[in-house]
Amino acid sequence: MKFNIIFNHEECKGCELCIPWCKFELISFDKSRLNKKGVHPAMIAHPEKCVGCGNCALMCPDAIITIEKTEEDRSQGKEG
Amino acid sequence: MSVLYGKPESLNDVPFTFCPGCTHGLTLKLVASVIDEMDMGDDTISVGCVGCGGYMPWFMNVDTIFSLHGRAPANATGVKRMNPDKLVFTYQGDGDLASIGTAEIIHAAHRGEKFTTIFVNNTTYGMTGGQMAPTTLIGQKTTTSPYGRDAGLCGQPLHICELLSTIDGAKYIERVAVDSPVSVRKAKKAIRKAFECQMAGAGFSLIEILSTCPTNWGMSPLESLERIRTEMIPAYPLGVFKDWEEGDK
Ligand SMILES: Cc1ncc(C[n+]2csc(CCOP(=O)(O)OP(=O)(O)O)c2C)c(N)n1
Ligand code: SF4
Ligand code: SF4
């Protein structure tokens, strides 16, 4: 995998703002669990398909999504 | 391994207490990531206001001074004049800035104070339960305009960027939105430019962010982003109202 995409599941508020921007429709709610806030947290079912565009992380108002580039390539800076 | 996206270092490691999907969180994240990029974390003083944006000092990992309602520009004036090398910004809602704090913001711009204002316009008083603000749109229902805002009774929405751009001391004024990844990237660039304008000593700068309040609008967070596009942007056109370039005075 070129990218690690990590969700801080316990802090997800289930707002949906991360979902519609992924052109591969990779993000969905994990209906099999509830977090401490009582919501089905956002998750990525097929992380191997992620191209690291960052749209989901950029739109998350609570900064619960972290995207790491796994290869040693520091050409791209952190966008936030 | 390198982090492409994540929680900026200029944010504290505490969860935001904003309502689900509120774009106050998104906006604070942008401000913090610009501070990180400029490597100004140890040299920033934020000036808090009253309103939901007033939680900013708890969430940001920078020095802070808190203000009475609407008075952040007055505090920022003192802070910046005594600390001209620091990056100083106020973070204010539309109730705070465009209603109770109108005099302070106009005269800070008028004096050409060298700080930046991040102005979060969500067309309502969020914290107190969704009352009408000067920025509320015509026809918008709020707890104090239950039949919708009537221009005959309450006037037209107040356009802060247009107003301030007539003032000589205001050097960079831009209105942006946070309704999509493209807009969010533009908003971040605008914040960066305003901070650069400040650090170059040019004068006052303000970025208005068209933002949401899903709770008091009675909409889902995604419907709220749609409302920015369909209702807010037509009433509050995006763009640069006062431009500044590196080298300008
Ligand atoms: C002097 C004073 N008057 C009134 C209030 C009550 N009050 C608290 S927050 C607020 C409105 C905030 O609205 P806005 O600035 O739009 O911020 P938002 O909560 O929408 O982010 C008001 C009127 C107060 N705290 N102090
Ligand atoms: S980074 Fe881009 S491609 Fe990867 S999951 Fe998020 S939106 Fe989809
Ligand atoms: S009341 Fe509105 S502005 Fe305040 S945190 Fe909730 S959604 Fe955001």
Side-chain angles (χ1 to χ4, degrees):
Chain A
M1 282 199 297
K2 281 189 169 172
F3 302 96
N4 285 334
I5 171 159
I6 305 151
F7 287 78
N8 181 358
H9 297 285
E10 284 306 313
E11 298 303 340
C12 177
K13 296 174 181 168
C15 76
E16 281 186 299
L17 291 200
C18 58
I19 291 180
W21 320 105
C22 179
K23 59 179 174 180
F24 310 106
E25 298 183 8
L26 299 179
I27 317 273
S28 59
F29 286 128
D30 185 351
K31 297 286 183 196
S32 71
R33 59 187 281 203
L34 289 171
N35 68 10
K36 67 178 181 194
K37 294 182 192 288
V39 306
H40 298 300
M43 59 166 267
I44 178 159
H46 293 287
E48 72 285 357
K49 294 186 183 160
C50 171
V51 298
C53 74
N55 284 348
C56 56
L58 192 66
M59 292 305 287
C60 173
D62 290 275
I64 69 147
I65 308 174
T66 302
I67 301 175
E68 295 170 343
K69 194 166 169 56
T70 50
E71 296 154 337
E72 270 307 310
D73 176 357
R74 291 185 174 268
S75 56
Q76 277 178 284
K78 181 167 152 183
E79 197 174 23
Chain B
M1 191 100 75
S2 57
V3 176
L4 298 180
Y5 295 85
K7 198 159 187 168
E9 282 168 24
S10 295
L11 288 181
N12 285 323
D13 196 17
V14 292
F16 291 153
T17 49
F18 302 122
C19 305
C22 173
T23 48
H24 264 304
L26 230 172
T27 306
L28 282 187
K29 220 174 61 166
L30 291 183
V31 174
S33 60
V34 172
I35 294 171
D36 282 2
E37 274 178 18
M38 293 173 73
D39 200 16
M40 292 293 284
D42 293 335
D43 293 297
T44 297
I45 306 175
S46 67
V47 184
C49 71
V50 170
C52 291
Y55 286 108
M56 178 274 288
W58 280 267
F59 300 145
M60 289 205 64
N61 183 19
V62 298
D63 287 335
T64 286
I65 178 169
F66 202 77
S67 311
L68 294 175
H69 209 1
R71 278 36 168 180
N75 281 3
T77 296
V79 169
K80 182 71 185 191
R81 285 189 179 198
M82 287 300 107
N83 301 275
D85 298 335
K86 301 288 182 190
L87 176 67
V88 178
F89 71 92
T90 70
Y91 184 88
Q92 302 176 256
D94 49 323
D96 187 85
L97 182 145
S99 188
I100 193 168
T102 328
E104 281 72 15
I105 196 70
I106 288 183
H107 286 287
H110 170 222
R111 295 188 305 269
E113 299 296 344
K114 296 173 183 58
F115 66 83
T116 302
T117 291
I118 307 297
F119 169 42
V120 179
N121 180 359
N122 60 12
T123 72
T124 192
Y125 291 7
M127 171 163 273
T128 42
Q131 292 81 7
M132 180 170 52
T135 43
T136 294
L137 298 181
I138 298 302
Q140 182 179 337
K141 289 186 177 142
T142 69
T143 54
T144 49
S145 59
Y147 306 110
R149 179 178 180 152
D150 175 352
L153 276 177
C154 309
Q156 292 286 340
L158 194 58
H159 288 74
I160 290 294
C161 287
E162 287 82 342
L163 183 68
L164 293 182
S165 63
T166 64
I167 298 177
D168 185 59
K171 296 300 179 195
Y172 192 74
I173 306 280
E174 181 170 357
R175 185 182 288 125
V176 295
V178 286
D179 60 299
S180 68
V182 172
S183 309
V184 169
R185 289 184 169 97
K186 280 189 193 153
K188 188 175 159 187
K189 281 200 184 116
I191 294 169
R192 170 122 195 189
K193 190 148 184 197
F195 283 175
E196 284 169 352
C197 171
Q198 173 187 160
M199 295 319 287
F204 178 77
S205 50
L206 176 140
I207 304 299
E208 175 173 346
I209 315 237
L210 299 185
S211 199
T212 66
C213 177
T215 301
N216 289 301
W217 292 0
M219 292 178 185
S220 75
L222 281 177
E223 287 165 352
S224 301
L225 295 191
E226 187 61 27
R227 177 178 184 256
I228 293 184
R229 274 188 291 278
T230 55
E231 295 180 30
M232 287 177 76
I233 294 177
Y236 290 111
L238 304 183
V240 177
F241 291 85
K242 195 82 178 264
D243 205 1
W244 169 86
E245 288 302 334
E246 192 88 53
D248 290 357
K249 255 295 165 194

